[in-house]
């Protein structure tokens, strides 16, 4: 059943119920008759006409289109004419009924009494005009908000796609630079590195094209990258990795965020002459994913142009787009220990369980 069909059925049920109310109440005593029922329901019919005249025509075709003068003119005429017509029907247009015999209409009503009854009718009809207008404007606002959110989502996806296309070549360039350096002193390791690189490329080019991918695949990708980096490092570099996640794990995360932090750690945390360390701890529990990385800090000189320095900027932007207001990122250099620390906490991984 479509949304439109459901809406029509709901309206039919509501108005049929309203029309049936006089029958339900009049059935309690012995005053029920067809003229009585018609007389009791005439105001309901007038309200129905007023409601749908505004809901289906005046509000969408005139009020929302900026033709406010037509909307107000027609409604004023509608309220006045229908109020007078209802009053005339009750006072002079209907035949006497059992109710009139028991409670006859007071003869010679004053002019003020007639005016009061007409104003009372006008108030009731005007209230229905306001209700119909409010409902239609609310629906229009909901539709506008939905369209705005869809546009916002499309723009966000487009920006994420653009960032992804920037991250991929940046990451691949840095990896190729590492393999190039490896070829200079150990061809056997370089061949192994190329095999590892093929695994990384498969993930970068195919597996990460979705907004969110399985955490298991992302951790495997990070593990392959660390193994690749180890091939060109000496034993003086202390590399510790700990992936503390449930197994089996069906959590989904945005791809290529954590790897940028790992890549940054290898880029700035390793010295060719001094002792270095890189400690990586990734922990997932109860819908939260925590990635904590600490490394020795040896900043690159201005003459070092390896990479383009866009990794962390892209991490920040991807976090804003993929986890708006649902993440924390603490980062900075501890000058006392010459250590760079980065800790990202994602708070909504439960939303992406598959």
């Amino acid at each position: 059943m479509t949304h439109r069909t459901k809406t029509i059925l709901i309206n039919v049920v509501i108005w049929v119920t309203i029309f049936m109310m006089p029958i339900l109440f009049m059935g309690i005593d012995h005053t029920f008759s067809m003229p009585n029922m018609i007389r009791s329901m005439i105001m309901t019919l007038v309200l129905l006409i007023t409601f749908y005249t505004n809901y289906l025509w005046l509000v969408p075709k005139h009020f929302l289109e900026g033709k406010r003068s037509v909307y107000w003119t027609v409604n004023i005429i509608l309220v006045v004419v229908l109020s007078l017509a209802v009053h005339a029907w009750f006072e002079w247009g209907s035949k006497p009924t059992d109710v009139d015999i028991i409670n006859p209409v007071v003869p010679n009503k004053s002019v003020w009494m007639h005016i009061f009854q007409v104003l009372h009718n006008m108030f009731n009809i005007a209230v229905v005009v306001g209700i119909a207008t409010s409902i239609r404007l609310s629906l229009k606002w909901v539709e506008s908000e939905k369209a705005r959110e869809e546009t916002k989502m499309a723009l966000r996806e487009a920006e994420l796609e653009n960032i992804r296309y920037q991250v991929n070549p940046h990451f691949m360039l840095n990896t190729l630079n590492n393999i190039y350096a490896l070829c200079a002193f150990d061809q056997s390791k370089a061949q192994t590195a190329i095999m590892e690189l093929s695994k990384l490329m498969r993930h970068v080019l195919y597996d990460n094209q979705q907004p969110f991918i399985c955490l298991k695949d992302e951790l495997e990708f990070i593990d392959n990258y660390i193994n690749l980096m180890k091939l060109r490092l000496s034993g003086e570099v202390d590399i510790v990795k700990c992936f503390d996640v449930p197994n089996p794990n069906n959590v989904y995360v945005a791809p290529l965020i954590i790897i940028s932090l790992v890549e940054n750690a290898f880029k700035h945390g390793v010295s060719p002459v001094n002792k270095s360390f890189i400690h990586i701890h990734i922990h997932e529990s109860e819908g939260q994913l925590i990635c904590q990385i600490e490394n020795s800090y040896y900043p690159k000189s201005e003459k070092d142009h390896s990479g383009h320095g866009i990794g962390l900027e892209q991490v920040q932007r991807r976090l804003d787009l993929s986890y708006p207001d649902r993440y924390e990122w603490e980062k900075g250099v501890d000058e006392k220990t010459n250590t760079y620390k980065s800790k990202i906490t994602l708070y909504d991984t439960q939303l992406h369980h598959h």
Side-chain angles (χ1 to χ4, degrees):
M1 184 181 296
T2 64
H3 176 73
R4 182 181 179 85
T5 304
K6 289 181 180 178
T7 302
I8 293 174
L9 287 177
I10 291 173
N11 278 267
V12 169
V13 170
I14 291 174
W15 285 106
V16 167
T17 303
I18 293 174
F19 271 104
M20 294 298 292
M21 291 298 289
I23 299 177
L24 297 176
F25 285 104
M26 285 190 294
I28 297 175
D29 52 33
H30 300 287
T31 61
F32 175 80
S33 67
M34 184 59 67
N36 240 352
M37 185 182 71
I38 294 175
R39 183 174 181 180
S40 300
M41 293 193 305
I42 191 67
M43 191 63 184
T44 303
L45 179 62
V46 168
L47 297 181
L48 184 149
I49 293 172
T50 303
F51 181 88
Y52 284 108
T53 299
N54 278 270
Y55 185 83
L56 298 176
W57 177 52
L58 288 176
V59 179
K61 300 298 182 181
H62 296 285
F63 190 90
L64 293 176
E65 296 293 331
K67 304 173 185 177
R68 305 291 172 81
S69 59
V70 176
Y71 167 83
W72 289 113
T73 301
V74 175
N75 265 316
I76 290 173
I77 295 173
L78 195 66
V79 170
V80 172
V81 171
L82 290 178
S83 299
L84 292 173
V86 169
H87 182 68
W89 171 268
F90 284 141
E91 292 297 321
W92 303 292
S94 59
K95 296 180 179 179
T97 64
D98 297 337
V99 177
D100 296 321
I101 296 173
I102 299 173
N103 299 300
V105 178
V106 179
N108 301 322
K109 283 185 179 178
S110 67
V111 175
W112 291 110
M113 180 63 71
H114 286 290
I115 293 175
F116 173 79
Q117 290 178 343
V118 171
L119 291 177
H120 184 264
N121 294 338
M122 292 176 64
F123 174 78
N124 290 336
I125 297 173
V127 168
V128 172
V129 170
I131 292 173
T133 303
S134 299
I135 292 175
R136 194 70 188 195
L137 291 178
S138 298
L139 292 176
K140 181 65 176 179
W141 180 82
V142 170
E143 291 175 1
S144 299
E145 282 296 302
K146 183 179 179 180
R148 189 179 68 84
E149 287 299 320
E150 289 177 352
T151 302
K152 183 178 178 181
M153 181 70 68
L155 291 174
R156 191 184 75 172
E157 292 299 325
E159 186 172 356
L160 275 172
E161 189 69 16
N162 181 55
I163 292 175
R164 187 180 293 118
Y165 283 127
Q166 293 181 47
V167 170
N168 290 353
H170 166 73
F171 170 77
M172 298 307 300
L173 178 61
N174 285 350
T175 305
L176 288 172
N177 285 338
N178 290 329
I179 294 178
Y180 174 78
L182 191 63
C183 290
F185 61 88
D186 194 326
Q187 292 185 357
S188 177
K189 285 187 176 181
Q191 291 176 346
T192 302
I194 292 174
M195 291 297 296
E196 293 292 334
L197 177 61
S198 67
K199 299 178 184 178
L200 299 179
M201 289 183 65
R202 186 180 302 110
H203 181 83
V204 170
L205 296 177
Y206 301 108
D207 297 340
N208 75 332
Q209 296 307 305
Q210 300 299 321
F212 295 92
I213 65 172
C214 183
L215 176 61
K216 174 180 175 293
D217 295 334
E218 186 74 356
L219 293 182
E220 183 178 347
F221 172 64
I222 293 171
D223 191 47
N224 290 335
Y225 178 81
I226 293 174
N227 293 333
L228 178 60
M229 294 298 102
K230 282 182 177 181
L231 293 176
R232 58 164 295 193
L233 299 178
S234 66
E236 295 297 318
V237 181
D238 177 29
I239 299 178
V240 177
K241 62 179 178 180
C242 178
F243 298 159
D244 184 12
V245 297
N247 188 21
N249 186 282
N250 61 347
V251 174
Y252 277 60
V253 295
L256 296 181
I257 290 180
I258 299 175
I259 189 61
S260 296
L261 301 180
V262 175
E263 180 188 10
N264 187 71
F266 278 96
K267 180 179 178 181
H268 299 288
V270 177
S271 169
V273 294
N274 299 319
K275 279 193 173 184
S276 310
F277 72 92
I278 298 174
H279 296 167
I280 302 169
H281 182 212
I282 299 175
H283 171 69
E284 196 277 330
S285 177
E286 298 181 354
Q288 291 189 9
L289 178 66
I290 300 174
C291 174
Q292 190 166 2
I293 300 177
E294 296 184 8
N295 55 270
S296 47
Y297 185 61
Y298 299 103
K300 300 295 183 181
S301 64
E302 295 181 0
K303 296 181 180 180
D304 189 338
H305 299 291
S306 60
H308 297 285
I310 65 172
L312 295 186
E313 295 177 7
Q314 301 294 12
V315 169
Q316 183 70 66
R317 190 57 186 151
R318 293 206 70 188
L319 285 170
D320 291 337
L321 292 171
S322 299
Y323 299 95
D325 301 320
R326 297 189 299 276
Y327 79 91
E328 289 183 8
W329 188 10
E330 305 170 31
K331 59 182 183 297
V333 178
D334 185 342
E335 297 182 355
K336 294 182 180 179
T337 59
N338 197 38
T339 301
Y340 183 84
K341 299 180 180 180
S342 178
K343 179 182 179 182
I344 290 180
T345 303
L346 305 179
Y347 291 108
D348 75 338
T349 57
Q350 289 285 357
L351 297 178
H352 303 294
H353 275 69
H354 284 212

